[in-house]
Amino acid sequence: MRTADLFKKKQVLSLEVFPPKRTSSEDTIFNTLEELKWLHPDFISVTYGAGGSANNSKTLEIASFIKTNYAVESVAHLPCINFSKEELLLLLDRLKEQGIENILALRGDISPEHPPCTDFSHADDLIAFIKEHADFNIIGACYPEGHVESKSTLEDIHYLKRKVDAGTDHLITQLFLDNDYFYAFRERTALAGINVPIEAGIMPVVNKKQIERMVSLCGVQLPKKFVKMMERYEHDPIAMRDAGIAYAINQIVDLLAQGVDGIHLYTMNNPYIARKIYEAVFRLLAA
Ligand code: FAD
């Protein structure tokens, strides 16, 4: 099923997992998925590291496993920055062979260790290429606070509109910790004529290092109440975890009440946290 069709019926709940970094932990991703399936997600997406990391081959395998074994729709992430057109065509063939219908089409982060290939500069190039050569449902990334490289939120919306016009069927946001950024972003997209469903990406923040990395990587703003929470519980891991879960639940309840199209939960491969959040909100999703 194409993910864009899911939004016609309900507010969607999707989950994101990543392939394990070390081969010795490969088993754990399948244990994680075994637990996540009980949360009845509308789809599960599987990340793919730009820059050719060794665990990338697992993305296809895991996405295919989810669809075949759990009858849950899956999405393969696909960052294009290090691919040539020839390599991309081969990868699209492999995705089709595995029965995958949905691609999260990304540029990927540019890293000095892996100089970009020149065939695709931005996600809109990739999306146009996929639309020309194959039949997939396309998902795109978007940024309520603006992408870190953008000069302004207006410039960001301009390019987002190009990405949608190139053939994006649905969007998923980067994490944000202040819902007001999301609501302002939703207004900007509506004004720009972007009419595809937009899922809110929610990351439960359960330790300080995790959010410090996100701030430096993605430029996410930390609201005062969030900073207070971190200061209060940073030396008590269990309290920090529970506070992070409660914070994410509050964000989700507010978003659902405000009519968000869907929630995309960055699970960080932690089924305990995902389950706690699911248990708190599943009745709201069905309402
Ligand atoms: P683009 O849409 O190309 O945008 C990148 C920047 O270029 C923006 O500033 C934009 O405004 C600008 N821009 C866009 N189009 C043009 C144009 N035509 N001309 C000039 N400027 C333009 N990374 C991974 O490596 N693997 C993953 O699995 C992964 N999953 C992700 C999932 C989600 C939901 C999100 C939000 C991000 C994910 N990322 C992943 C991170 C993503 O690769 C980075 O944020 C990357 O820096 C931008 O990717 P993009 O597809 O949004 O790029």
Side-chain angles (χ1 to χ4, degrees):
M1 177 179 238
R2 303 165 86 88
T3 59
D5 292 336
L6 296 163
F7 298 90
K8 293 174 188 159
K9 297 181 215 145
K10 62 193 281 275
Q11 286 177 305
V12 162
L13 173 69
S14 58
L15 306 176
E16 180 172 309
V17 297
F18 56 84
K21 290 230 162 33
R22 286 184 300 272
T23 37
S24 60
S25 59
E26 268 165 26
D27 276 355
T28 61
I29 182 68
F30 296 104
N31 296 339
T32 301
L33 291 170
E34 193 58 35
E35 294 191 49
L36 292 179
K37 80 172 180 196
W38 297 111
L39 312 188
H40 308 292
D42 292 298
F43 68 87
I44 300 179
S45 80
V46 189
T47 67
Y48 189 115
S53 112
N55 55 338
N56 277 343
S57 59
K58 290 276 158 202
T59 299
L60 266 67
E61 186 189 330
I62 296 166
S64 168
F65 177 88
I66 291 165
K67 194 162 171 164
T68 313
N69 291 278
Y70 301 143
V72 170
E73 202 44 64
S74 66
V75 171
H77 294 213
L78 180 48
C80 61
I81 193 72
N82 300 109
F83 280 112
S84 67
K85 288 183 177 172
E86 290 71 24
E87 289 168 327
L88 220 290
L89 283 173
L90 289 175
L91 195 50
L92 293 178
D93 282 346
R94 285 181 59 207
L95 285 162
K96 269 280 171 241
E97 280 162 23
Q98 304 276 353
I100 292 161
E101 292 176 70
N102 302 289
I103 295 176
L104 175 42
L106 299 148
R107 184 197 67 181
D109 285 323
I110 298 168
S111 127
E113 292 151 41
H114 303 281
C117 181
T118 48
D119 280 0
F120 302 100
S121 305
H122 291 97
D124 59 346
D125 300 331
L126 171 66
I127 292 162
F129 185 82
I130 297 175
K131 286 283 166 189
E132 189 186 338
H133 294 279
D135 178 27
F136 285 95
N137 178 76
I138 303 290
I139 305 161
C142 61
Y143 304 85
E145 298 174 53
H147 184 265
V148 272
E149 292 165 31
S150 291
K151 292 190 197 76
S152 68
T153 47
L154 273 184
E155 184 193 88
D156 212 41
I157 287 287
H158 167 78
Y159 286 123
L160 184 61
K161 171 83 169 118
R162 266 170 72 156
K163 187 149 86 173
V164 171
D165 289 346
T168 305
D169 298 292
H170 119 231
L171 292 165
I172 303 179
T173 77
Q174 178 175 269
L175 79 142
F176 54 89
L177 293 160
D178 179 345
N179 287 359
D180 285 345
Y181 283 115
F182 179 81
Y183 300 132
F185 171 72
R186 208 166 49 166
E187 277 176 23
R188 287 197 297 280
T189 55
L191 285 171
I194 294 171
N195 297 318
V196 297
I198 304 175
E199 270 192 286
I202 297 294
M203 181 180 284
V205 179
V206 295
N207 69 64
K208 204 174 173 198
K209 270 208 182 107
Q210 175 196 358
I211 194 61
E212 281 170 353
R213 190 167 167 274
M214 288 302 160
V215 169
S216 70
L217 210 67
C218 327
V220 173
Q221 295 295 316
L222 304 184
K224 268 193 196 141
K225 63 176 177 181
F226 180 83
V227 173
K228 282 252 174 245
M229 182 187 90
M230 299 285 298
E231 287 169 357
R232 176 80 174 85
Y233 302 117
E234 65 175 303
H235 301 299
D236 182 339
I238 302 290
M240 183 64 229
R241 181 197 67 190
D242 291 351
I245 291 171
Y247 193 95
I249 290 169
N250 275 337
Q251 275 194 279
I252 294 170
V253 170
D254 182 56
L255 287 160
L256 291 172
Q258 302 288 335
V260 71
D261 294 317
I263 300 290
H264 184 71
L265 196 62
Y266 295 103
T267 71
M268 310 302 289
N269 290 7
N270 186 324
Y272 172 86
I273 294 171
R275 183 163 50 78
K276 286 285 167 201
I277 293 174
Y278 171 77
E279 283 168 357
V281 304
F282 80 96
R283 278 184 218 289
L284 308 184
L285 283 156

